[in-house]
Amino acid sequence: MNFDITEEQQMIKNMVAEFAEKEIAPFAAENDLEEKFPWDIVKKMGELGIFGTVIPEEYGGGGFDYIAHAMVAEELGRVDSSVRGIYSVQVSLVALTVLKWGNEEQKKKYVPRLASGEILGCFGLTEPNSGSDAVSMQATAVEDGDSYIINGNKMWITNGGVADIALIFAKTDKNAGARGITAFIVDTKTPGFSTRDIHQKLGLRSSNTAELIMTDVRVPKENVLGEVGKGFKVAMSALDFGRYTVAAGCVGLAQGCYDVAKKYALERVQFGKPIAGHQLIQEMFADMIVDIEAGRLLVYRVGHLKNKGVPNTREVCVAKLFCSEMVNRVAYKALQVFGGYGFSGEFPIERYYRDARINTLYEGTSQIQKLIIANKDLGISAF
Amino acid sequence: MKIVVCIKQVPSTEARVQMDPIKGTLIREGVESVVNPFDEYAIEEGIRLKERYGGEVTVISMGPPQAREALKTALAMGADKAVLLSDRAFAGSDTLATAYTLSLGIKKLGDIDIVICGKQATDGDTAQVGPGLAQRLNLRQITYVSKIREINLKNRKITAERLIESGTQVVSTALPALITVVKDINQPRIPNIFSIKKATRAEIPVWGMQDLGGDPKDFGFDGSPTQVVRIFTPPPRQGGEIIQGEVPEAVAKLIEALTSRNIINL
């Protein structure tokens, strides 16, 4: 086993850390407060090729490995989870999924433009009445000549209101359960496609979350991603990518919580010494350190498996479950270190705390992760 | 245009660097290393000159094998080539020996138009290597450059603004020349992923004493007339004495204290 970070991973990590520090962190609080989508930041990320880190060079990316990909998510998550979320969806859920399931024409058409940030993508699986039970989706796609006509709504879609393309999952056969679902690449400018932004979220306030409303949206057959009836498999593999960057983002956010708490604890004096010197505070720091390091190792192990190209659904669910719960524990303790100041908007810990919460909910709740993990081991599905 | 940028790897300015009280050197183990911040401006300026006038940027560094990382950073920013001058024989170099070693490396690169250095390194803080190097290479020099106004390749002339205590001075000189730069000159770029990839693939030649030629007694410890005798952290300031009590009494005590220390004599 080799735990050393490679030279190129280190260089990517340094570069994104510098970018995050200089170009994201100074604007994060304001963007959060005003629910402002960070277009400038997204544009700069595109220019620096950040969205293309893990994309192969032949499709306009940098050709870096999955651990470098996690490090990007980590460094973005360390300062702004909203930006990390934009990255995760754009790269993991959309670009890597098109790369895995698309035909050569689709890959050439979309992946380089996603890698450069020229276009943004979103991922439409969840519906108002279909979350954990994805197979119960109601969106339909009906064959009509050379096209499919899609009808239905998608809910809680990150990048939904700003995306140029959407991966949409819809039923092409209502009676076939999971085998009746098909994936489509949908141009969001297609007539009948509209969105409604969702406001007043607890966290991720500068990332765009929207409902997608599709009324008789005509999509050419050439935009079917993968095969007809194989959409559920496409969705599940996309989540194997997506959950990976969520887990990595959680490690980054937890590190961000830790870093600000550490700075505060070394400066804040009570009972005649910095509070970092008090035993009960030190216990919280020790807990945070152990939690973050365990999470990071789980994430990098998944990266190692992804680099090898072997199945990793179980391991990615383990990492996602642990890291999403972990970041909430760490955010809680880090905020506790701040005392009353943590409850105000004066320090970023308040935003970090709110941003941590989503992670146990999206891309599969913690409960769903547990059911997948146990099922992989026990061989009996609970749903 | 052939541009050479000299860089040094130094301990991160954010790291808490400690000194070895016995050896009188910095403890570098476990301390994160970075490109000397002033050299980042030099790299950036070199790349900008290339973008403006065409040509090629070569970065060169003298240091231990790990200084390769600093050179990779420069390549990631957009430099074209890098050379590492590394040899056990270079250990213990002061500014004179460092300038000598770098000058041989640069001579080996062939004809050049401009050498750019940061104004000083954040670890040694001497600001001597740039000027010393100009002397060794017999180049004209402009130090503390805050802006390059123009380079006229046809007339072989450079015009630059340099920071002086009372303001800004505009200076022209003939090429080839050496300049040292201050942080006002530019804002170093963040590398993009493609140049990082290119940098990770780049081979960096390592030149030792044999490759450079020169006189063995001019390198490293032997070639260094200045030696660090001692390096120490000043002891933390002790708290003073506070004289309390009523004013007349306190003043009397203060006068006594100052008189007994021969500070005042009433």
Side-chain angles (χ1 to χ4, degrees), chain A residues 7-8 11-12 15 18-19 22-23 47-50 52-53 57 60-64 266, chain B residues 16 32 40 68-69 72-73 76 187-197 199-201:
Chain A
E7 179 181 82
E8 62 174 46
M11 287 176 86
I12 286 288
M15 180 272 264
E18 186 185 354
F19 177 78
K22 288 183 180 164
E23 305 285 351
E47 286 166 1
L48 291 175
I50 291 174
T53 305
E57 286 168 279
F64 292 89
L266 289 169
Chain B
R16 269 191 251 166
E32 198 201 341
E40 283 193 16
R68 202 176 148 274
E69 296 161 14
K72 289 261 169 172
T73 304
Q187 185 59 51
R189 70 193 62 193
I190 298 173
N192 65 53
I193 62 155
F194 306 104
S195 56
I196 289 177
K197 193 73 177 186
T200 61
R201 285 176 180 152

Side-chain angles (χ1 to χ4, degrees), chain A residues 97 101 123 167 169 183 225-227 230-239:
Chain A
T97 304
W101 296 94
F123 181 82
L167 299 193
F169 298 85
L225 180 64
E227 289 170 41
K230 293 278 172 65
F232 192 70
K233 257 185 118 168
V234 174
M236 292 305 111
S237 87
L239 291 171

